Every structure is written in C-alpha cells, then in structure tokens.
C-alpha cells in the first residue's frame, strides 16, 4: 500500500518573485503547501539547478514562459518524494528523483523546500550522482536528447559537431553523441579545449579556426552529418553552410532572423528545440520522464557526467547564483536548497 500524506498542508520556505522590474530581488516567504493532487508527487527539494532561462524569466525577458506574479521560480530539481497523489504508480515515498518540473507559467518552481509536481516529468535520480549533480542535468540533458535522438536520430559513425560544446547543453550533447557511437567534434574557447577532450570530443578553437577551415580539416569539405547549435546568431548562420548534404541542423537558440538558403541548397533538415513545451502546454510530459530514465541509465553506466561550477549557493544567495549564470559560469550552477 502506498503512503499518502495525512496532513492537509505542509509549511515550507520559498523564494518569491513579486515584480519583473529591474533590480527586483527574491522575497523570503513561508507557505502552506497542500497535499499533492491526482497525478502529482510531493518532493522535498535538496537542490535546484540554475539555467539561463531562470534569470531571463526573473528579468521579464522570456514572455513565452513567464508566470503570473507572485511566483516561485526555478526550473530543475533533485529531491526525495515525501507524498504520493492519487493515480501515481511509478514512484513511492522515499524515492530520490530529478526533473525539469516548474518555474514557468503556473508551475511552482524549485526555489522552495517542497513542491507538488507532475509525476510524469520525473525519473529516479542516478544512484552515482549527488543531489547537486542530479539537479544540474534535467533541462540540459532533455534539450540535448530531444535534438540528437528525437529529431536527428544520431547513429554510430556519424560526424557530429556541437557548437558551444563546453556549455550547459553542449557538454551533455557531446557525451550523448559519444555514448551513441558518433564521431564528435565541438567548438569552444581556447581555455576549454582540454575539457572537450576529456568529454570525448575533438576540440575546435573557434578563435583560431574558421568554419571553412575546420569543415575542410575534419570532413574533407563534405560537411558534418549533424550540427547541434547551442549558441544561435552568427554561429547558427555559419552552421547552415557547413552541414553535409541531407544532413540535420539542430538549434536550441534559434531566436533571430536567419537566411536558410545555405542549408536549403544542401537539402538539409533544420529542427528547433524548445524544451519547455511540455511544461507550458501539458503535451509530451511523459516523454520527458522517459528521456530522463534513459539519461539515468547512461549516467549510471559512466557515459554522462555533469560539470558543476565549484561555487556553492543557498536560498540565501540565490540572486548570486543567477548572476553567476548570467555572467558566465565555469559549469552548471546549482543552489543547495536543503544542505
């Protein structure tokens, strides 16, 4: 018999955003959280991953995802299930889980001690990761997987280029492509070349090699079979001209205006990735949980490892964590909610 929480409400600490005006900081507050509804589980949150979308929502510059205020932000979480709603059969109280679960529109975020979340958005946390490490993965791993696997169906032996391979999405995309047998190349700045090598990619220093030069060096001018752009702008523009004939370009950063002629003349496919769609629309949520279960298997097999920023943050210093991501962190930033 599954355990259900008997108390009607659970008091919790949370950080609340009251305004999108410049300079607004989080307000510390206490809430009474009700029991989870049907299809939900209640998670005690140990760690909250911080992504660029988090500070963009806080600053009011992500209109496609911003919740009505006041709101609790925070997209990724890792924690322990403490209560089960009706109809949930895949989890039990005490399970350690992770997922991309809230912080957008009407979904409570992870800058809180507890949250009621849709069980379909969760998976069991990899046993070989800490809560902090697990909280760093959901958004970036889902974004990488939806492009490389769902859209491009990456296969062993294909030449895959990750634009921005040392970034949040990029470093996981490198590892997924490598785990699936691809020949992986990745661009990054001079100081991150060794990091890319350690992840299993052939590093490309975009400061010293032009797209024309590295497409000649590594594909004999034929182009890469798959290109995953995580940067956007001029990097996506350049990618359109170095894709192989009938290749596949993926982008999670296609927010500008682009001339598609170079890729069209190569009969290439272009796919845009918007990882928040299941949260915002309710469509495809189960698929997110399914992807995370496959990510868990790869992590436990030693094929994926998140890179964390060495700085530590708590709810008291959450604004510092947001600022660190905006300024450019040395790895995924994670906030310790419950130490």
């Amino acid at each position: 018999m599954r355990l259900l929480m008997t108390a009607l409400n659970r008091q919790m600490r949370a950080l609340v955003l009251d305004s999108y005006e410049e300079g607004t900081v989080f307000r510390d507050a206490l809430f009474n959280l009700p029991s989870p509804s049907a299809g939900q589980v209640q998670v005690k949150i140990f760690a909250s991953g911080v992504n660029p979308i988090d500070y963009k929502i806080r600053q009011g510059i992500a209109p496609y995802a911003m919740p009505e205020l006041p709101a609790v932000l925070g997209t990724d979480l890792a924690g322990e299930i403490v209560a089960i709603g009706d109809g949930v059969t895949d989890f039990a109280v005490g399970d350690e889980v992770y997922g991309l679960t809230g912080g957008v529109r009407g979904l409570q975020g992870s800058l809180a001690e507890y949250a009621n979340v849709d069980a379909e958005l969760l998976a069991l946390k990899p046993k070989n990761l800490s809560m902090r490490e697990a909280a760093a993965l959901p958004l970036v791993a889902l974004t990488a997987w939806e492009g490389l696997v769902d859209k491009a169906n990456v296969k062993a032996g294909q030449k895959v280029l990750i634009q921005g391979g040392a970034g949040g999405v990029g470093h996981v995309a490198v590892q997924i492509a490598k785990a699936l047998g691809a020949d992986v190349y990745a661009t990054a700045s001079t100081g991150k070349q060794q990091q890319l090598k350690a992840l299993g990619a052939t590093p490309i220093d975009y400061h010293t090699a032009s797209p024309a030069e590295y497409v000649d060096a590594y594909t004999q001018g034929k182009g890469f079979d798959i290109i995953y752009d995580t940067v956007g702008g001029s990097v996506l523009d350049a990618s359109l001209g170095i894709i192989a004939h009938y290749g596949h370009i993926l982008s999670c950063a296609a927010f500008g205006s682009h001339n598609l002629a170079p890729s069209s003349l190569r009969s290439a496919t272009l796919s845009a990735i918007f990882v928040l769609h299941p949260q915002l629309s309710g469509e495809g949520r189960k698929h997110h949980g399914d992807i995370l279960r496959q990510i868990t298997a790869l992590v436990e097999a030693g094929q994926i490892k998140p890179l964390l920023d060495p700085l530590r943050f708590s709810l008291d210093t959450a604004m510092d964590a947001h600022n660190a991501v905006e300024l450019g962190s040395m790895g995924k930033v994670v906030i310790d909610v419950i130490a």
Side-chain angles (χ1 to χ4, degrees), residues 302-313:
Q303 294 179 293
I304 295 178
K305 177 77 172 179
L307 301 177
L308 268 62
D309 190 284
L311 297 176
R312 301 292 292 254
F313 302 93

Side-chain angles (χ1 to χ4, degrees), residues 108-131:
Q108 183 209 304
S110 54
L111 293 180
E113 293 176 324
Y114 296 87
N116 293 330
V117 303
D118 188 336
E120 292 188 334
L121 293 170
L122 295 171
L124 293 177
K125 177 184 78 65
K127 294 182 177 64
N128 55 337
L129 292 189
S130 67
M131 289 289 189

